[in-house]
Coordinates of all heavy atoms in Angstrom, one line a residue:
M1 N -205.7 34.8 18.9 CA -204.4 35.3 18.6 C -203.4 34.2 18.4 O -203.4 33.2 19.1 CB -204.0 36.3 19.8 CG -202.6 36.8 19.6 SD -202.1 38.1 20.8 CE -202.4 37.3 22.3
I2 N -202.5 34.4 17.5 CA -201.4 33.5 17.3 C -200.1 34.1 17.8 O -199.7 35.2 17.5 CB -201.2 33.2 15.8 CG1 -202.5 32.5 15.3 CG2 -200.0 32.3 15.6 CD1 -202.4 32.3 13.8
E3 N -199.4 33.4 18.7 CA -198.1 33.8 19.2 C -197.0 32.9 18.7 O -197.0 31.7 19.0 CB -198.2 33.8 20.7 CG -199.2 34.7 21.3 CD -199.4 34.5 22.8 OE1 -200.2 33.6 23.2 OE2 -198.7 35.2 23.6
V4 N -196.0 33.5 18.0 CA -194.9 32.7 17.6 C -193.7 33.2 18.4 O -193.4 34.4 18.5 CB -194.6 33.0 16.1 CG1 -193.4 32.3 15.6 CG2 -195.8 32.7 15.2
M5 N -193.1 32.2 19.1 CA -192.0 32.5 20.1 C -190.7 31.8 19.7 O -190.6 30.7 20.0 CB -192.5 32.2 21.5 CG -193.7 33.0 21.9 SD -194.7 32.2 23.2 CE -195.6 31.0 22.2
S6 N -189.8 32.6 19.2 CA -188.4 32.2 18.9 C -188.3 30.9 18.2 O -187.5 30.0 18.6 CB -187.6 32.1 20.2 OG -187.7 33.4 20.9
I7 N -189.1 30.7 17.1 CA -189.0 29.4 16.4 C -187.8 29.4 15.4 O -187.5 30.4 14.8 CB -190.3 29.0 15.7 CG1 -190.7 30.1 14.6 CG2 -191.5 28.8 16.7 CD1 -191.8 29.6 13.7
S8 N -187.3 28.2 15.3 CA -186.2 28.0 14.4 C -186.4 26.6 13.8 O -186.9 25.7 14.5 CB -184.8 28.0 15.1 OG -184.5 29.3 15.6
K9 N -186.0 26.4 12.5 CA -186.1 25.1 11.9 C -185.0 24.9 10.9 O -184.7 25.8 10.1 CB -187.4 25.0 11.2 CG -187.7 23.6 10.5 CD -187.8 22.5 11.5 CE -188.1 21.2 10.8 NZ -188.1 20.1 11.7
I17 N -185.5 28.7 8.9 CA -185.9 29.9 9.7 C -185.1 29.9 11.0 O -184.8 28.9 11.6 CB -187.4 30.0 9.9 CG1 -187.9 28.7 10.6 CG2 -188.2 30.2 8.6 CD1 -189.4 28.8 11.0
D19 N -185.0 31.9 14.8 CA -185.4 32.7 15.9 C -186.5 33.7 15.5 O -186.3 34.9 15.7 CB -184.2 33.4 16.5 CG -184.5 33.9 17.9 OD1 -185.3 33.3 18.6 OD2 -184.0 35.0 18.3
I20 N -187.6 33.3 14.9 CA -188.7 34.2 14.5 C -189.7 34.3 15.7 O -190.1 33.3 16.2 CB -189.4 33.7 13.3 CG1 -188.5 33.8 12.1 CG2 -190.7 34.4 13.0 CD1 -189.1 33.2 10.8
S21 N -190.0 35.5 16.0 CA -191.1 35.8 17.0 C -192.0 36.8 16.4 O -191.5 37.8 15.8 CB -190.5 36.3 18.3 OG -189.7 35.4 18.9
T22 N -193.3 36.6 16.5 CA -194.3 37.6 16.0 C -195.6 37.3 16.7 O -195.8 36.2 17.2 CB -194.4 37.7 14.5 OG1 -195.1 38.8 14.1 CG2 -195.0 36.4 13.9
T23 N -196.5 38.2 16.6 CA -197.9 38.0 17.1 C -198.8 38.4 16.0 O -198.6 39.4 15.3 CB -198.2 39.0 18.3 OG1 -197.3 38.6 19.4 CG2 -199.6 38.8 18.8
I24 N -199.8 37.5 15.7 CA -200.8 37.8 14.7 C -202.1 38.0 15.4 O -202.7 37.1 16.0 CB -200.9 36.6 13.7 CG1 -199.5 36.4 13.1 CG2 -201.9 36.8 12.7 CD1 -199.4 35.1 12.2
T42 N -191.9 27.1 5.2 CA -191.6 26.4 6.5 C -192.3 27.1 7.6 O -192.8 26.4 8.5 CB -190.0 26.5 6.7 OG1 -189.4 25.8 5.6 CG2 -189.6 25.8 8.0
F43 N -192.3 28.4 7.6 CA -193.0 29.2 8.7 C -194.5 28.7 8.7 O -195.0 28.5 9.8 CB -192.9 30.7 8.4 CG -193.6 31.5 9.4 CD1 -193.0 31.8 10.7 CD2 -194.8 32.1 9.2 CE1 -193.6 32.6 11.6 CE2 -195.4 32.9 10.1 CZ -194.8 33.2 11.3
M44 N -195.1 28.7 7.6 CA -196.6 28.3 7.5 C -196.8 26.9 7.9 O -197.8 26.6 8.6 CB -197.1 28.5 6.1 CG -197.0 30.0 5.6 SD -198.1 31.1 6.5 CE -199.6 30.9 5.5
R45 N -195.9 26.0 7.6 CA -196.0 24.6 8.0 C -195.9 24.4 9.5 O -196.6 23.6 10.1 CB -195.0 23.7 7.2 CG -195.4 23.5 5.8 CD -194.5 22.6 5.1 NE -194.9 22.5 3.7 CZ -194.1 22.8 2.6 NH1 -192.9 23.2 2.8 NH2 -194.6 22.6 1.4
I46 N -195.0 25.2 10.1 CA -194.9 25.2 11.6 C -196.1 25.8 12.2 O -196.7 25.2 13.2 CB -193.6 25.9 12.0 CG1 -192.4 25.1 11.6 CG2 -193.6 26.1 13.5 CD1 -191.1 25.8 11.8
L47 N -196.7 26.9 11.6 CA -197.9 27.5 12.2 C -199.0 26.5 12.1 O -199.9 26.5 13.0 CB -198.2 28.7 11.3 CG -198.4 30.1 12.0 CD1 -197.1 30.4 12.8 CD2 -198.8 31.1 11.0
S48 N -199.1 25.7 11.1 CA -200.2 24.8 10.9 C -200.0 23.5 11.7 O -201.0 22.7 11.8 CB -200.5 24.5 9.4 OG -199.4 23.8 8.9
G49 N -198.8 23.3 12.2 CA -198.6 22.0 12.9 C -198.1 20.9 12.1 O -198.0 19.8 12.5
I50 N -197.9 21.1 10.8 CA -197.4 20.1 9.9 C -195.9 19.7 10.2 O -195.5 18.6 10.2 CB -197.6 20.5 8.4 CG1 -199.0 20.6 8.1 CG2 -196.8 19.5 7.5 CD1 -199.3 21.2 6.7
L51 N -195.2 20.8 10.5 CA -193.8 20.6 10.9 C -193.6 21.0 12.4 O -194.3 21.9 12.8 CB -192.8 21.5 10.1 CG -192.5 21.1 8.7 CD1 -191.6 22.1 8.1 CD2 -191.9 19.7 8.6
K52 N -192.7 20.4 13.1 CA -192.4 20.8 14.5 C -191.1 21.6 14.4 O -190.2 21.2 13.8 CB -192.2 19.6 15.3 CG -192.0 19.9 16.8 CD -192.2 18.7 17.7 CE -191.9 19.0 19.1 NZ -192.7 20.0 19.7
A53 N -191.2 22.8 15.1 CA -190.0 23.7 15.1 C -188.9 22.9 15.9 O -189.2 22.2 16.9 CB -190.4 25.0 15.8
D54 N -187.7 23.2 15.5 CA -186.5 22.6 16.3 C -186.4 23.3 17.6 O -186.0 22.7 18.6 CB -185.2 22.8 15.5 CG -185.2 22.1 14.2 OD1 -185.9 21.0 14.0 OD2 -184.4 22.5 13.3
K55 N -186.8 24.6 17.6 CA -186.7 25.4 18.8 C -187.9 26.4 18.8 O -188.3 26.8 17.8 CB -185.4 26.2 18.8 CG -185.1 27.1 19.9 CD -183.8 27.9 19.7 CE -183.9 29.2 20.3 NZ -184.1 30.4 19.5
G56 N -188.4 26.7 20.0 CA -189.4 27.7 20.1 C -190.8 27.0 20.1 O -190.9 25.8 20.1
S57 N -191.8 27.9 20.1 CA -193.2 27.3 20.1 C -194.2 28.3 19.4 O -193.9 29.5 19.2 CB -193.7 27.1 21.5 OG -193.8 28.3 22.2
V58 N -195.3 27.7 19.0 CA -196.4 28.4 18.4 C -197.7 28.1 19.2 O -198.0 27.0 19.4 CB -196.6 28.0 16.9 CG1 -197.8 28.7 16.4 CG2 -195.4 28.3 16.1
K59 N -198.4 29.2 19.6 CA -199.6 29.0 20.3 C -200.7 29.7 19.6 O -200.6 30.8 19.1 CB -199.5 29.6 21.8 CG -198.6 28.8 22.7 CD -198.7 29.3 24.1 CE -197.8 28.5 25.0 NZ -197.9 29.0 26.4
I60 N -201.8 29.0 19.4 CA -203.0 29.6 18.8 C -204.1 29.6 19.9 O -204.4 28.5 20.5 CB -203.5 28.8 17.6 CG1 -202.4 28.8 16.5 CG2 -204.8 29.3 17.1 CD1 -202.8 28.1 15.2
D61 N -204.5 30.7 20.3 CA -205.4 30.9 21.4 C -205.0 30.1 22.7 O -205.7 29.4 23.3 CB -206.9 30.5 21.0 CG -207.4 31.3 19.9 OD1 -207.0 32.5 19.8 OD2 -208.3 30.8 19.2
N62 N -203.7 30.3 23.0 CA -203.0 29.8 24.1 C -202.9 28.3 24.1 O -202.6 27.7 25.2 CB -203.7 30.2 25.4 CG -203.5 31.7 25.7 OD1 -202.4 32.2 25.4 ND2 -204.6 32.4 26.1
M63 N -203.1 27.6 23.0 CA -202.9 26.2 22.9 C -201.7 25.9 21.9 O -201.6 26.5 20.9 CB -204.1 25.5 22.3 CG -205.3 25.5 23.2 SD -206.7 24.7 22.4 CE -206.2 23.1 22.2
E64 N -200.8 25.0 22.3 CA -199.7 24.6 21.5 C -200.2 24.0 20.2 O -201.0 23.1 20.2 CB -198.8 23.6 22.2 CG -198.0 24.2 23.4 CD -196.8 25.0 22.9 OE1 -196.3 24.9 21.8 OE2 -196.4 25.9 23.7
V65 N -199.8 24.6 19.1 CA -200.4 24.2 17.8 C -199.9 22.8 17.4 O -200.7 22.0 16.9 CB -200.0 25.2 16.7 CG1 -198.5 25.2 16.3 CG2 -200.8 24.9 15.4
F66 N -198.7 22.4 17.6 CA -198.2 21.1 17.2 C -199.0 20.0 17.9 O -199.4 19.1 17.2 CB -196.7 21.0 17.4 CG -196.2 19.8 16.7 CD1 -195.9 19.8 15.3 CD2 -195.9 18.6 17.4 CE1 -195.4 18.7 14.7 CE2 -195.4 17.5 16.7 CZ -195.2 17.5 15.4
E67 N -199.1 20.1 19.2 CA -199.8 19.0 19.9 C -201.2 18.9 19.5 O -201.8 17.9 19.4 CB -199.6 19.2 21.4 CG -198.2 19.5 21.9 CD -197.2 18.5 21.4 OE1 -197.5 17.4 20.9 OE2 -196.0 18.9 21.4
N68 N -201.9 20.1 19.3 CA -203.3 20.2 19.0 C -203.5 19.5 17.6 O -204.5 18.8 17.4 CB -203.7 21.6 19.0 CG -205.2 21.8 18.8 OD1 -206.0 20.9 19.3 ND2 -205.7 22.8 18.2
I69 N -202.7 19.8 16.6 CA -202.9 19.3 15.3 C -202.7 17.8 15.3 O -203.4 17.0 14.6 CB -201.9 20.0 14.3 CG1 -202.3 21.4 14.1 CG2 -201.9 19.3 12.9 CD1 -203.6 21.7 13.4
Y107 N -208.7 30.8 12.0 CA -207.5 31.1 11.3 C -207.3 30.3 10.1 O -207.5 29.1 10.1 CB -206.2 30.9 12.2 CG -206.3 31.7 13.5 CD1 -206.7 31.1 14.7 CD2 -205.9 33.0 13.5 CE1 -206.7 31.8 15.9 CE2 -205.9 33.7 14.7 CZ -206.4 33.1 15.9 OH -206.4 33.8 17.0
L109 N -204.5 29.5 7.1 CA -203.1 29.7 6.7 C -203.1 29.4 5.2 O -203.4 28.4 4.7 CB -202.2 28.7 7.4 CG -202.3 28.7 8.9 CD1 -201.4 27.7 9.5 CD2 -201.9 30.1 9.4
I141 N -203.9 34.3 7.2 CA -202.5 34.6 7.2 C -202.0 34.1 5.8 O -202.1 32.9 5.5 CB -201.7 33.8 8.3 CG1 -202.2 34.3 9.7 CG2 -200.2 34.1 8.2 CD1 -203.0 33.3 10.4

Side-chain angles (χ1 to χ4, degrees):
M1 175 170 56
I2 298 176
E3 298 171 273
V4 179
M5 295 154 286
S6 301
I7 63 170
S8 296
K9 181 68 178 173
I17 56 174
D19 199 33
I20 292 179
S21 296
T22 192
T23 300
I24 301 172
T42 300
F43 180 80
M44 297 294 270
R45 287 183 180 121
I46 291 171
L47 237 57
S48 66
I50 293 170
L51 286 178
K52 185 167 178 58
D54 297 335
K55 177 183 151 254
S57 66
V58 175
K59 289 186 178 181
I60 298 179
D61 296 336
N62 292 319
M63 292 179 62
E64 290 286 337
V65 69
F66 190 79
E67 310 313 339
N68 189 32
I69 294 292
Y107 300 98
L109 305 177
I141 298 108

